[in-house]
Amino acid sequence: MSETRALELSGHVVDGEHRYPLRIFYEDTDAGGIVYYARYLQFAERARTELLRLAGIEQAKLRDSAGVMFAVRRCEVDYRRPARLDDLVEVRSHLTELRGARLSAAQSIWRAGEELVRLVVEIALVGSDGRPARIPAPIRTALEPFVQQTFVQPLKQG
């Protein structure tokens, strides 16, 4: 597969927001044909990985060359509406903060203009020993175009 075609699979960027389309398959759903709640976390992870790829960051290379990797430190999820079997959804992601050893992301999953799920995720860069590691300057530079300085409040109950 060509590099261009591979990048097409990574989604695209609209006004600094990464958009990653995906189809809901049978394996994503429960017996009622509704997406199983934990799958949304997997969809969000996949989209963040593709955002990194579009920024020129491949996680396996990062681990092998620099001895560091990204790990989810915290995640809040608000399930608003269910997705169903065969739906075409889009994961929208942007970074909200880029600090010494961590970054924060706001993600949402949409179907036909309707927001289904909202996530607030904090990710730490850690070394092979599991301890926080500063984000190297080249990675920080590659991620800066995806940072939108919007305030994301913790999700509210109710």
Side-chain angles (χ1 to χ4, degrees):
M1 178 182 301
S2 73
E3 183 66 22
T4 302
R5 179 68 179 127
L7 285 176
E8 289 173 7
L9 298 174
S10 295
H12 60 282
V13 178
V14 176
D15 296 327
E17 179 179 71
H18 178 251
R19 298 198 176 181
Y20 180 72
L22 59 93
R23 173 87 51 201
I24 303 301
F25 295 121
Y26 185 78
E27 67 188 23
D28 300 320
T29 64
D30 61 17
I34 294 174
V35 171
Y36 181 66
Y37 79 98
R39 292 301 256 186
Y40 294 107
L41 296 175
Q42 293 173 328
F43 299 158
E45 176 74 29
R46 207 176 296 166
R48 286 193 311 275
T49 297
E50 295 302 332
L51 183 154
L52 291 174
R53 190 178 316 281
L54 284 176
I57 302 164
E58 292 185 36
Q59 295 196 66
K61 287 182 182 177
L62 182 63
R63 181 196 63 223
D64 295 344
S65 66
V68 293
M69 61 197 121
F70 288 106
V72 173
R73 181 182 180 278
R74 183 170 171 274
C75 181
E76 291 183 50
V77 184
D78 183 19
Y79 301 97
R80 304 164 81 77
R81 301 261 189 268
R84 300 178 190 281
L85 179 63
D86 290 329
D87 281 353
L88 181 60
V89 299
E90 179 179 69
V91 183
R92 299 179 184 180
S93 311
H94 69 271
L95 305 181
T96 57
E97 189 175 36
L98 189 55
R99 299 188 60 167
R102 69 175 191 247
L103 56 93
S104 298
Q107 293 184 276
S108 53
I109 300 174
W110 293 73
R111 175 191 56 220
E114 179 182 33
E115 185 178 44
L116 306 178
V117 178
R118 186 179 300 169
L119 303 96
V120 177
V121 185
E122 186 176 296
I123 298 142
L125 189 69
V126 296
S128 58
D129 60 358
R131 296 174 54 106
R134 289 193 67 76
I135 299 172
I139 294 171
R140 178 178 302 283
T141 300
L143 293 176
E144 284 174 349
F146 296 97
V147 178
Q148 295 179 12
Q149 297 294 331
T150 55
F151 179 70
V152 177
Q153 295 182 356
L155 301 174
K156 295 180 182 179
Q157 301 293 325

